Amino acid sequence: MHRRRRTALSVSAALLAAAPVLTACGGGDTHPGAAAVVDGQRIEVTALQAQVKDVRTAQQASPQAEQLIQATGDLNREKLNGMIFDRVVEKVAADQGITASRKEVQQTRREAAEQSGGEEQLAAMLLQQQGVAPDEIDDVVRRNVLMNKIAEKFGATNTPEGQRKLTQVFAAASQDLDIEVNPRYGSWDDEKIQLGEYSAPWIRKLGGREQM
């Protein structure tokens, strides 16, 4: 039970920093003002810029400001990838009848903080490792809860077949969402469930095998 919690927290922290972007728009002005369109819903450039600004503000307040900023140079793509991937996770969860209650999110966050040495340490770790601003932590934890429930349902934490099935389910959901990305940010790969050449950190090697 304790091991399962630790694994879930690790998976979720990795997922949060990742940022997918789907099929490039046919033209730069197809959806003016949108960084991406997912299932007909726009992700505005202003919303993306707001997330980037929150992270940069938190980084600048850190004693390691210079190192943190250098480590997240392409933050626009990273954050957009995460914003889109969140929507893929939400679709898979909805299709599978999986939910994450506020109580579950709060409990998981408390456990993560305890393992990190406190809320302040948790926030510092997520900012450093994942480029997550303090006000985004609950969203990251919620994604973690959903991802671990989904992975458990398909047996993806302990069987190669479960891992393959999980990847197939996410790839299908990604394709169904008909994601379009402003070409300035790249293009989306439905099979890899990530933005173009972006190396998504939610791919983790467990037991010698790569796992989402």
Side-chain angles (χ1 to χ4, degrees):
M1 183 84 162
H2 188 55
R3 175 189 293 178
R4 180 181 301 174
R5 288 201 197 100
R6 281 205 310 270
T7 301
L9 291 170
S10 174
V11 170
S12 93
L15 287 171
L16 297 183
V21 186
L22 297 154
T23 311
C25 299
D29 60 352
T30 304
H31 300 284
V37 178
V38 182
D39 198 25
Q41 297 184 348
R42 296 160 59 93
I43 296 178
E44 301 291 350
V45 171
T46 53
L48 171 61
Q49 291 174 338
Q51 284 206 9
V52 171
K53 182 179 179 181
D54 285 346
V55 174
R56 290 300 187 214
T57 299
Q59 289 175 333
Q60 289 166 359
S62 169
Q64 294 82 36
E66 184 176 352
Q67 298 95 313
L68 292 177
I69 292 172
Q70 288 178 350
T72 52
D74 198 0
L75 192 55
N76 280 288
R77 277 165 51 90
E78 182 175 332
K79 299 308 288 185
L80 181 58
N81 190 71
M83 294 170 81
I84 296 174
F85 186 68
D86 275 343
R87 287 155 175 76
V88 179
V89 173
E90 292 287 350
K91 175 170 175 53
V92 173
D95 289 347
Q96 300 299 322
I98 291 172
T99 60
S101 68
R102 181 167 180 78
K103 181 178 180 180
E104 288 174 309
V105 171
Q106 291 174 337
Q107 179 179 346
T108 302
R109 179 167 179 168
R110 282 196 300 270
E111 292 171 353
E114 289 173 2
Q115 293 176 14
S116 302
E119 276 284 343
E120 186 174 340
Q121 288 80 2
L122 174 64
M125 179 194 72
L126 290 175
L127 179 64
Q128 178 180 7
Q129 297 181 3
Q130 304 295 333
V132 175
D135 62 357
E136 297 171 344
I137 294 177
D138 276 351
D139 292 336
V140 169
V141 173
R142 184 175 187 278
R143 183 200 289 175
N144 176 76
V145 172
L146 290 174
M147 281 297 302
N148 279 277
K149 286 187 176 183
I150 293 168
E152 184 174 353
K153 179 170 183 176
F154 288 100
T157 58
N158 50 29
T159 69
E161 179 59 32
Q163 294 167 18
R164 285 192 292 270
K165 178 60 177 177
L166 183 67
T167 301
Q168 292 170 359
V169 168
F170 270 78
S174 173
Q175 188 171 15
D176 288 346
L177 288 172
D178 191 23
I179 303 170
E180 296 180 80
V181 173
N182 187 318
R184 68 185 288 189
Y185 300 110
S187 61
W188 176 256
D189 188 323
D190 283 323
E191 292 186 2
K192 293 182 178 179
I193 322 161
Q194 66 184 29
L195 173 62
E197 298 178 355
Y198 181 78
S199 181
W202 66 76
I203 303 295
R204 281 290 183 268
K205 288 187 176 181
L206 298 179
R209 304 184 182 92
E210 286 196 351
Q211 178 172 334
M212 177 181 291

